[in-house]
């Protein structure tokens, strides 16, 4: 069976499911491999564009592509190690980077270029083979690939300027885990030996972790956490990065939230206290803009920083929704222009939603779940309207608005939409799941004479 990269290149825009079904047309080709490469390239095109743009890259099985870092997150790690390197580099000395959990190599490919030499350590033979093939294509000819256990290989390696670890977050049965001690390798007992030979250790951990607890555990293991980076990508918290050094001296730990192009340093003072709150219902009903903090800020828990730095007010301390009279373009999160403020009084919400049958619903500190509220309001999910429901002074309020800035209209000034169903929907049937979201088509009427029902009556 042939594995032809040219064949893959010719078919990489094909539908992978259809290509798999057509395997019989190519009896001399290793079609499972071809389909895997086409699928890998299509995923990389969106997740790691630099890899997709590099000819000759061989992609791993589907699971590895799902678990690897995005290019945006990997580039940020590269910027962090570059800055760390400038603080410790000595003239005339070769710099060394060690990646003890190489995996697919996406993170490595964006960090290693800043060093004179690098080591890629990985337990799995398949991934080591891919790294030996792919990394030189990405310009990393100075990287040595080493197969083996991270702890054992580290004992044999020389000193390093920066060591990177991304422990596997799956247990021996394949189940997900995120506790530091439950990951492989367990970095806590390794910490003294890591800091003995490394200038800095960068650890990537699950966003499910409490970052305060992670700091405590690593410091109890013998390290000093110099930096914590909370990284969100695509409106989802993706990574917690910890920079651990042998000693901090008198320096304060740095806390950074990363949201797209925004890199927000949060000072020790801004991590303390509670956010300023709205005064009364009159003020609440006249707000103009509502803000939902980005996932990185939400994970940090530093909500007082938002009121101190941006001048917004929180609706309540547990709602994590903020408001202002003027629009703040640099607010780290989503912004909404509020059009109506109303309660769950039936007459109020019926008037507010009179011409609306579809909206994106979010509940915060609210007695109903998102699905329960959507059902109560008789709304379909999605569309251009947004409803935030929360509690203010023991009373439930809903905020109807649109995302800000609004979506740009296509040429001609009209937004293409699908027709909404008439009230009650023809024949009483909802749209079929196979239809596109937002598109409604009536159920075809039965043929004259009653169709199948006519036959049933005869029985």
């Amino acid at each position: 069976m042939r594995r032809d990269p040219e064949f893959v290149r010719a078919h990489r825009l094909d539908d992978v499911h259809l290509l798999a079904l057509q395997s019989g047309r190519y009896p001399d080709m290793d079609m499972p491999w071809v389909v895997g490469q086409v699928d890998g390239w299509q995923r990389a095109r969106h997740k790691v564009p630099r890899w997709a743009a590099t000819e000759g890259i061989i992609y791993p099985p589907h699971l590895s592509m799902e678990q690897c870092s995005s290019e945006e997150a990997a580039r940020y790690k590269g910027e962090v190690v570059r800055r760390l390197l400038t603080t410790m580099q000595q003239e005339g000395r070769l710099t060394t980077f060690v990646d003890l959990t190489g995996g697919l190599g996406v993170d490595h490919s964006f960090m290693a270029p800043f060093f004179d030499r690098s080591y890629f350590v990985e337990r799995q033979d398949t991934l080591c083979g891919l790294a030996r093939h792919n990394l030189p294509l990405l310009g990393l000819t100075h990287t040595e690939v080493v197969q083996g256990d991270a702890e054992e290989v580290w004992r044999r390696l020389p000193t390093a300027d920066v060591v990177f670890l991304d422990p596997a977050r799956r247990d021996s049965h394949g189940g997900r885990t995120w506790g530091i001690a439950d990951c492989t390798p367990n970095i806590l007992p390794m910490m003294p030996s890591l800091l003995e030979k490394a200038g800095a250790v960068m650890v990537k951990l699950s966003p499910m972790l409490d970052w305060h607890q992670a700091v405590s555990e690593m410091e109890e293991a013998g390290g000093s956490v110099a930096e914590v980076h909370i990284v969100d990508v695509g409106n989802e918290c993706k990574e917690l990065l910890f920079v651990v050094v042998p000693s901090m001296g008198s320096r304060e730990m740095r806390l950074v939230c990363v949201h797209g192009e925004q890199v927000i340093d949060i000072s020790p003072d801004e991590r303390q206290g509670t956010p300023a709150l709205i005064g009364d219902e009159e003020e609440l009903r006249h707000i103009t803009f509502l803000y939902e903090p980005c996932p990185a800020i939400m994970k940090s828990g530093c909500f007082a920083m938002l009121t101190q730095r941006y001048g917004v007010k929180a609706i309540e301390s547990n709602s994590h929704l903020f408001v202002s009279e003027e629009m703040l373009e640099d607010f780290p999160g989503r912004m909404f222009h509020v059009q109506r403020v109303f309660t769950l009084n039936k007459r109020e919400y019926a008037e507010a939603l009179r011409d609306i049958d579809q909206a994106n619903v979010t509940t915060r500190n609210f007695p109903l779940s998102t699905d329960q509220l959507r059902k109560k309001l008789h709304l379909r999910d999605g569309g251009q309207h947004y409803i935030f429901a929360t509690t203010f002074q023991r009373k439930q309020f809903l905020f109807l608005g649109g995302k800000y800035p609004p979506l740009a209209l296509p040429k001609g000034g009209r937004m293409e939409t699908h027709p909404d169903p008439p009230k009650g929907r023809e024949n009483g049937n909802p749209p079929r799941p196979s239809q596109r979201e937002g598109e409604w088509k009536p159920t075809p009427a039965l043929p004259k004479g009653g169709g199948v029902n006519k036959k049933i009556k005869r029985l």
Side-chain angles (χ1 to χ4, degrees):
M1 291 287 193
R2 289 192 301 126
R3 293 185 171 186
D4 186 357
E6 291 299 325
F7 184 86
V8 171
R9 189 177 299 111
H11 291 271
R12 64 188 181 187
L13 293 175
D14 291 1
D15 182 289
V16 290
H17 302 291
L18 185 59
L19 186 61
L21 291 173
Q22 296 173 342
S23 296
R25 298 183 182 181
Y26 315 102
D28 62 331
M29 203 66 65
D30 184 347
M31 288 306 292
W33 180 84
V34 168
V35 171
Q37 293 307 299
V38 170
D39 181 65
W41 182 86
Q42 290 180 1
R43 291 176 185 277
R45 183 173 53 160
H46 300 289
K47 195 170 187 180
V48 197
R50 183 190 169 201
W51 281 46
T54 303
E55 294 295 343
I57 294 288
I58 296 178
Y59 297 97
H62 172 78
L63 183 61
S64 294
M65 285 300 298
E66 275 194 345
Q67 294 176 343
C68 76
S69 291
S70 66
E71 180 163 323
E72 184 178 343
R75 281 189 185 279
Y76 180 74
K77 287 192 272 295
E79 287 302 309
V80 173
V81 298
R82 180 189 62 78
R83 178 178 48 77
L84 290 174
L85 195 57
T86 60
T87 64
M88 62 180 68
Q89 190 168 347
Q90 297 177 12
E91 192 173 343
R93 179 176 64 83
L94 293 177
T95 56
T96 303
F97 173 64
V98 176
D99 182 350
L100 287 174
T101 51
L104 177 56
V106 172
D107 283 329
H108 189 97
S109 69
F110 286 92
M111 290 189 281
F114 297 105
F115 297 82
D116 297 309
R117 60 186 177 190
S118 66
Y119 294 90
F120 177 100
V121 182
E122 171 55 48
R123 291 187 305 168
Q124 295 185 40
D125 179 60
T126 302
L127 293 177
C128 285
L130 290 176
R132 291 187 182 100
H133 174 85
N134 291 336
L135 295 181
L137 296 177
L138 294 162
L140 300 178
T141 55
H142 64 305
T143 295
E144 180 180 340
V145 177
V146 183
Q147 183 183 355
D149 176 79
E151 195 167 0
E152 293 178 3
V153 173
W154 176 241
R155 294 193 192 102
R156 307 196 307 262
L157 290 178
T159 58
D161 294 277
V162 179
V163 175
F164 175 72
L165 296 102
D166 176 11
R169 297 189 283 272
R170 289 188 180 274
D171 58 27
S172 57
H173 304 291
R176 288 185 178 274
T177 185
W178 52 80
I180 299 178
D182 299 324
C183 296
T184 306
N186 179 0
I187 63 166
L188 297 178
M190 293 177 63
M191 194 61 70
S193 66
L194 289 169
L195 295 172
E196 187 180 349
K197 295 194 296 180
V201 177
M202 181 190 285
V203 183
K204 172 183 166 182
L205 295 174
S206 167
M208 299 295 291
L209 271 179
D210 179 335
W211 66 267
H212 300 88
Q213 181 182 344
V215 169
S216 297
E217 290 184 20
M218 283 187 274
E219 292 191 336
E220 287 173 6
S224 295
V225 179
E227 301 177 12
V228 177
H229 300 257
I230 306 174
V231 183
D232 74 45
V233 177
N235 206 38
E236 183 180 349
C237 187
K238 287 291 188 181
E239 299 177 356
L240 298 180
L241 301 177
F242 299 83
V243 176
V244 188
V245 295
S247 174
M248 281 281 287
S250 59
R251 291 179 297 163
E252 291 273 8
M253 186 193 77
R254 186 180 179 209
L255 176 63
V256 183
C257 289
V258 184
H259 174 61
E261 297 296 319
Q262 290 179 284
V263 179
I264 304 159
D265 264 283
I266 302 176
S267 70
D269 289 340
E270 290 176 320
R271 302 171 207 168
Q272 308 298 321
T274 56
L277 303 178
I278 283 182
D280 53 32
E281 185 175 328
E282 180 69 18
E283 183 180 1
L284 182 77
R285 285 186 176 273
H286 289 87
I287 65 171
T288 309
F289 292 96
L290 182 144
Y291 304 88
E292 182 184 42
C294 67
I297 296 291
M298 292 289 287
K299 184 67 182 180
S300 76
C302 299
F303 301 111
M305 178 273 295
L306 295 174
T307 59
Q308 294 172 29
R309 192 177 297 192
Y310 299 96
V312 294
K313 291 183 179 181
I315 293 176
E316 274 207 352
S317 56
N318 294 326
S319 70
H320 308 320
L321 294 172
F322 296 79
V323 298
S324 72
E325 293 182 3
E326 298 181 359
M327 193 268 291
L328 304 168
E329 291 187 354
D330 60 343
F331 185 89
R334 298 197 300 170
M335 295 169 274
F336 301 87
H337 186 210
V338 177
Q339 298 157 352
R340 298 288 293 268
V341 180
F342 55 99
T343 69
L344 276 180
N345 175 282
K346 190 170 184 179
R347 185 172 295 177
E348 265 197 74
Y349 72 70
E351 172 63 23
L353 303 175
R354 182 174 50 185
D355 299 318
I356 296 172
D357 63 1
Q358 185 178 24
N360 303 276
V361 178
T362 299
T363 58
R364 293 274 177 80
N365 190 27
F366 198 75
L368 300 179
S369 70
T370 298
D371 289 338
Q372 289 172 332
L373 180 58
R374 190 185 298 116
K375 184 176 180 180
K376 182 178 180 68
L377 300 178
H378 306 290
L379 295 171
R380 294 178 292 132
D381 188 27
Q384 298 178 40
H385 298 287
Y386 289 80
I387 293 175
F388 286 85
T390 190
T391 301
F392 176 72
Q393 296 180 353
R394 299 184 180 182
K395 189 175 179 181
Q396 282 73 53
F397 285 90
L398 293 86
F399 304 84
L400 170 67
K403 207 169 183 182
Y404 196 91
L407 294 172
L409 295 177
K411 286 185 178 180
R414 297 176 61 187
M415 185 73 71
E416 183 180 350
T417 59
H418 297 293
D420 289 326
K423 298 295 181 183
R425 293 178 176 148
E426 189 171 326
N427 297 332
N429 294 319
R432 293 190 299 276
S434 59
Q435 292 168 207
R436 290 176 294 177
E437 184 179 349
E439 181 179 14
W440 179 86
K441 293 179 181 177
T443 304
L446 291 173
K448 284 186 176 181
V452 292
N453 290 335
K454 190 172 181 180
K455 292 183 180 181
I456 292 173
K457 289 179 181 179
R458 291 174 181 169
L459 292 176

